[in-house]
Amino acid sequence: MVPVIGGTGMPCEVCRQVHRDLSRVLGTSAPDDWMSVTAGERLEAELTPDVCIMPFRGETRHFIRGHIQLPVTLPEPDVFVWSVWVEVDEASMAAIAHTWSDPNRAASAPLSGRLATELPYEQPTRGLQITIYTRDPGMTPLLMISPSSHHQLADEQREGIALHRVAEFAELVQR
Ligand SMILES: [Zn+2]
C-alpha cells in the first residue's frame, strides 16, 4: 500500500486548496494505556508492532494492533487507514497467538474487542465495540466498528469520507 494519498491536483471542493501527499495511515505505536503502566510493570510487559501484553494493577491486559479502513469516495476512490489498538480478552489473545502463523488464519472466526486508542473525534473512541477480522499472515487484522455504536467513526467507515477529511485528520493528530 502506498503510504500517501496524492489527490488529483485539483482544488478541493470543500476548502479550495490542493491536497497532495496526505498520509494514508495514521495511528499509534502502542495502546494509550501503555503510557499509564509503571516502570516496574513495563519490565513485565511485552510490546511489539502487532501485540501488547501488559500487567495493569495486578491483572494482565491484552491488545492487538488493527486497521480501521475508511473508504475515500471523493475525488477518486481510495482508502485511509487508522492504525489502532484493540483490547481483547485472554481467550481471544490465545486464539490469535495459536493461528498467527497459520496460512489459513484468514478463515478464523471474527473476534471482538474494545478500541484502546483515542482518535480525534468529538465523541470518545476508546471503548468502542470492535469486530476483528484476521487476514493472511503478514497482514494487519481489519477492524469493524459496531454500527450500533452510533459514532461518527462508524458512519465514516460505512459511508466513506472525502479527501478533505483525510487532510483534517493529518492536522488533528498533529495537535
Ligand atoms: Zn479540502
Side-chain angles (χ1 to χ4, degrees):
M1 203 185 281
V2 189
V4 294
I5 302 179
T8 58
M10 300 292 289
C12 171
E13 287 185 12
V14 179
C15 69
R16 309 310 300 169
Q17 295 183 36
V18 176
H19 299 305
R20 58 175 98 239
D21 297 342
L22 298 171
S23 295
R24 182 185 299 281
V25 182
L26 292 173
T28 59
S29 55
D32 290 3
D33 280 342
W34 180 254
M35 302 310 293
S36 310
V37 300
T38 65
E41 286 171 333
R42 210 165 281 194
L43 291 175
E44 306 285 313
E46 178 185 351
L47 177 64
T48 77
D50 299 297
V51 170
C52 178
I53 298 173
M54 63 184 182
F56 191 81
R57 294 174 190 153
E59 299 193 10
T60 302
R61 300 175 67 188
H62 308 82
F63 304 84
I64 64 161
R65 193 172 57 88
H67 281 174
I68 300 171
Q69 291 191 341
L70 305 184
V72 177
T73 56
L74 290 169
E76 54 188 18
D78 213 313
V79 65
F80 170 81
V81 176
W82 286 121
S83 176
V84 296
W85 291 83
V86 181
E87 182 159 15
V88 295
D89 62 20
E90 191 172 3
S92 298
M93 183 58 96
I96 291 164
H98 185 69
T99 58
W100 193 257
S101 306
D102 182 344
N104 293 318
R105 75 176 197 182
S108 315
L111 299 166
S112 40
R114 296 268 177 185
L115 196 56
T117 302
E118 200 61 84
L119 294 172
Y121 286 79
E122 275 184 32
Q123 300 165 274
T125 58
R126 280 175 71 174
L128 280 175
Q129 182 83 42
I130 300 286
T131 306
I132 304 160
Y133 295 90
T134 306
R135 293 193 284 177
D136 288 337
M139 297 184 75
T140 305
L142 285 182
L143 309 178
M144 295 296 294
I145 315 295
S146 166
S148 62
S149 60
H150 303 293
H151 193 285
Q152 185 181 2
L153 183 55
D155 297 343
E156 290 183 342
Q157 182 162 54
R158 189 177 58 249
E159 294 161 17
I161 55 175
L163 190 65
H164 179 77
R165 185 76 173 126
V166 180
E168 283 186 346
F169 291 155
E171 287 186 13
L172 287 167
V173 296
Q174 278 173 11
R175 284 182 195 165

